[in-house]
Amino acid sequence: MDSRDWGAFLLPYEQTVEELKVKFKTMRSELKKLEEYAPIEFVTGRVKKISSILDKAKRLSVPMDQLEQGIEDIAGIRIMCQFVEDIRRVAEYIRARKDLRVIYEKDYITNYKESGYRSFHMIIEYPVQTALGLKNVLAEIQIRTLAMNFWATIEHSLNYKYRESLPDEMRGRLKKAAEAAFVLDNEMSSIREEILLAQKSFEDESSIVNHLLTAIHQLYFYHMVSEAIEAQQRFNELWETRDMEGLKEMHTEVTQKIKAAKKALESGDDNV
């Protein structure tokens, strides 16, 4: 058994995972604001367990003094997308980044594994600033759709249960499930525009409601209690019938009242 201080050994990998998660989540937010649609659905990350590192080192015949170079996925980031075509787009964004270096890629979507596994992998080198100085850490980024991720998660759990020796019958069923997931991804891509329009409509409605309720609350701040109560009642009526046009008009009216109250307050009008 290796006698190294595993806590100290894994610290740079833990820092790498946390920093990359923040960066890719920020990328998602920026793309959402710029284009109203982000190819990144959500981001997760993990550091490989010590037992998994040891198992992989043994399986790949990696000497214990070469773990940092021989095992490339001790730090792992997973990026989920809604649509298959988003995967290539995310990969392009990653290649263009200046804060990491792509070493090589593995396309398991075009060249999927015999098991049915599909995903796009990028092995990167990421410079992390530790207490002892700059350290270049290898990490693996997996980019996949939600359907691919669901299948891969189930397959991983079953492989763990059967110690990588899945019964043939189980392998066959998993392969059929992988094919079904791929069909689902293709079908979702074919109705992509309808899905995106529906999502945008939902987000627009949520935004209107949020802003209007915030504006009604501001009426209380300016001591316009009767107006606030009246506005709340009107909001309830409009929301009951899902009258979004009426809610938009109401938001404009309430906003104008708040602006007038704010202007009066700044001018020193005591009647506000």
Side-chain angles (χ1 to χ4, degrees), residues 109-175:
I109 298 175
T110 304
N111 306 300
Y112 57 89
K113 292 185 178 181
E114 176 62 26
S115 63
Y117 176 85
R118 288 178 168 87
S119 187
F120 193 89
H121 294 192
M122 305 178 82
I123 303 300
I124 67 162
E125 185 180 69
Y126 179 76
V128 63
Q129 187 67 50
T130 71
L132 301 177
L134 190 68
K135 182 178 181 64
N136 289 316
V137 174
L138 293 180
E140 181 183 69
I141 301 174
Q142 299 177 350
I143 316 170
R144 54 177 66 151
T145 64
L146 299 170
M148 291 175 191
N149 186 62
F150 175 71
W151 183 92
T153 301
I154 299 301
E155 193 243 9
H156 177 78
S157 298
L158 288 171
N159 267 318
Y160 180 80
K161 176 182 178 181
Y162 289 100
R163 300 293 180 184
E164 303 289 338
S165 298
L166 281 171
D168 289 341
E169 185 263 347
M170 184 67 72
R171 289 183 186 278
R173 292 174 67 183
L174 275 173
K175 192 168 184 178

Side-chain angles (χ1 to χ4, degrees), residues 75-123:
I77 294 292
R78 191 168 295 160
I79 299 176
M80 262 63 73
C81 306
Q82 289 193 58
F83 305 101
V84 176
E85 50 268 37
D86 290 339
I87 294 173
R88 310 290 178 187
R89 189 174 165 203
V90 172
E92 283 295 330
Y93 283 127
I94 293 173
R95 293 185 196 111
R97 294 188 70 96
K98 304 300 182 184
D99 54 349
L100 56 82
R101 182 171 70 90
V102 177
I103 298 176
Y104 70 92
E105 302 173 1
K106 294 180 283 188
D107 184 353
Y108 294 124
I109 298 175
T110 304
N111 306 300
Y112 57 89
K113 292 185 178 181
E114 176 62 26
S115 63
Y117 176 85
R118 288 178 168 87
S119 187
F120 193 89
H121 294 192
M122 305 178 82
I123 303 300

Side-chain angles (χ1 to χ4, degrees), residues 23-32 40 93 97:
K23 289 184 176 184
F24 289 129
K25 287 177 182 179
T26 301
M27 178 193 292
R28 181 188 186 280
S29 298
E30 290 174 345
L31 291 172
K32 189 81 172 174
I40 298 173
Y93 283 127
R97 294 188 70 96

